[in-house]
Amino acid sequence: MLSNESKLKLFMESLGIYSPTGSEHELAEFIMELLTMNGFEARIDDVGNVIATRGGSGEPNLWLHAHMDTVPGFIEVRREGNKIIGRGGASDDKGPLMAMVFAFMESELPRGTLVLTAVVHEEGDSLGTRHLITGNHVHRPTGIIIGEPTGINKIVTKYRGGSTKLEVMVRTRGGGHASNPDLDSNSILIAMNVYKDLWDALKAGVSYESILVTPTVMNCGEAENMIPSNCRLVLDVRIPPGRSCRDIENAINELGVKYGGSITINMKWCTEPVEVPINNLSARAVSRAIIKVLNERPTLARKWGTSDMNELARLTSNIVAYGPGGDGAFSHSLEEYILVDDFLRAVDIYKQAVFEFMSMYR
């Protein structure tokens, strides 16, 4: 068993490996080497996921699932008191990921099979997780614990859907001098109207129960003194439980009819929202582990974004998200950090959750 200082050192090494979406290979090699050096069989699959298995092939089959990729950008990895800081995913998601790696190596298995799935592209198109779902590359799970930054005493069984990117392209006859009062051919104004109409069609809002439509990129025009004839607007759409991707498709079709050939709206992909029973076996296992390790009752939380739970719920409803580093304001930021105490306690909670899940399964 590794000492706590060794775990922290290896965790900080993982933070120093730059692994934005599409560039996870070096981190995958790091994790695979760590596992094999400690006597565990591990492999990297066709898309770059790290897969490791303990136990036999019998049930229950529990996955410890976390992602290796981070958003782009890097800052110096450092420790300041009880904080480990690093834009390389200190909170999202190398904190939960590395805690799961150590828990995988140290967990007591009274029965069943334990699988570690460290995946690629979660911050993008979920390529790694979708590869596991559609292929026959690993034992099918009877339960899944997803390593995500929820907070040391919080579990999550509900995620909004979406992560949907709409690309609005506006092309008009445009052109001409900016002094021309012909505003109907101004592609910027049309793009702004499309955004408003989409908001209205979806009955969008800013509450958890509403669809959220957020402009993230806008590129328009040819020159400062010309009426713009083209505009590209990117919208990030998030969908609450109770709504679906079909709502987005219907709104796009309505706007296509209204604006005719002057606009096109492309939807890159769409992820449905997910909500699983709060008393499912994986959630109960993690809840029991929190009580035993922290001596406090867990809190049920919900997430505004998406995670691999949105995809993995197709495999089993015995699924829960849990992990250290729960301050969402600092994930993906230049101040991303995780508390040392929370990281180490998360290792123990994952280990206890494995034991609880295996023991409770019937």
Side-chain angles (χ1 to χ4, degrees), residues 118-139:
V119 298
V120 299
H121 283 239
E122 191 271 354
E123 299 287 3
D125 58 4
S126 292
L127 169 67
T129 293
R130 294 182 184 188
H131 182 70
L132 296 179
I133 292 172
T134 59
N136 296 309
H137 317 289
V138 64
H139 301 294

Side-chain angles (χ1 to χ4, degrees), residues 21-96:
T21 304
S23 300
E24 301 96 336
H25 184 70
E26 185 179 352
L27 181 60
E29 293 281 359
F30 173 83
I31 293 172
M32 188 175 73
E33 182 178 351
L34 173 60
L35 290 165
T36 55
M37 286 180 60
N38 284 276
F40 299 97
E41 292 188 5
R43 60 185 174 88
I44 298 176
D45 70 12
D46 294 341
V47 299
N49 299 324
V50 178
I51 310 295
T53 304
R54 287 185 58 196
S57 57
E59 292 189 339
N61 181 13
L62 177 64
W63 285 13
L64 299 180
H65 182 97
H67 63 93
M68 296 184 288
D69 61 321
T70 68
V71 295
F74 189 80
I75 61 174
E76 177 191 1
V77 179
R78 63 194 187 276
R79 180 172 174 177
E80 295 181 356
N82 194 37
K83 286 184 179 181
I84 292 179
I85 301 166
R87 176 70 183 278
S91 172
D92 189 8
D93 191 44
K94 290 178 187 173

Side-chain angles (χ1 to χ4, degrees), residues 12 24 40 70 97 131 143 150 158 164 192 199 201 270 279 293 329-330 351 359:
M12 292 182 72
E24 301 96 336
F40 299 97
T70 68
L97 168 66
H131 182 70
T150 63
K158 181 191 295 189
T164 305
M192 293 170 62
W199 182 280
C270 189
N279 64 342
V293 174
F330 289 98
K351 288 162 57 178
S359 300

Side-chain angles (χ1 to χ4, degrees), residues 214-266:
T214 304
T216 56
V217 176
M218 194 172 191
N219 303 116
C220 310
E222 297 81 25
E224 293 182 357
N225 61 350
M226 287 178 58
I227 293 176
S229 63
N230 64 80
C231 192
R232 174 178 177 266
L233 173 65
V234 178
L235 304 173
D236 182 290
V237 181
R238 305 287 170 151
I239 309 169
R243 305 289 296 273
S244 74
C245 295
R246 180 60 63 86
D247 295 315
I248 312 301
E249 295 170 357
N250 291 341
I252 291 173
N253 291 336
E254 288 178 16
L255 293 185
V257 171
K258 176 177 179 177
Y259 286 92
S262 63
I263 70 161
T264 57
I265 305 177
N266 298 314

Side-chain angles (χ1 to χ4, degrees), residues 3 9 15 47 52 105 113 116 123 139 146 157 173 225 227 233 303 305 333 335 342 355 358:
S3 68
K9 180 176 180 294
L15 291 179
V47 299
M105 294 193 295
T113 307
L116 175 70
E123 299 287 3
H139 301 294
I146 297 175
T157 58
R173 65 182 185 278
N225 61 350
I227 293 176
L233 173 65
K303 285 287 189 174
S333 78
E335 301 176 72
D342 284 357
F355 180 82
M358 299 299 188

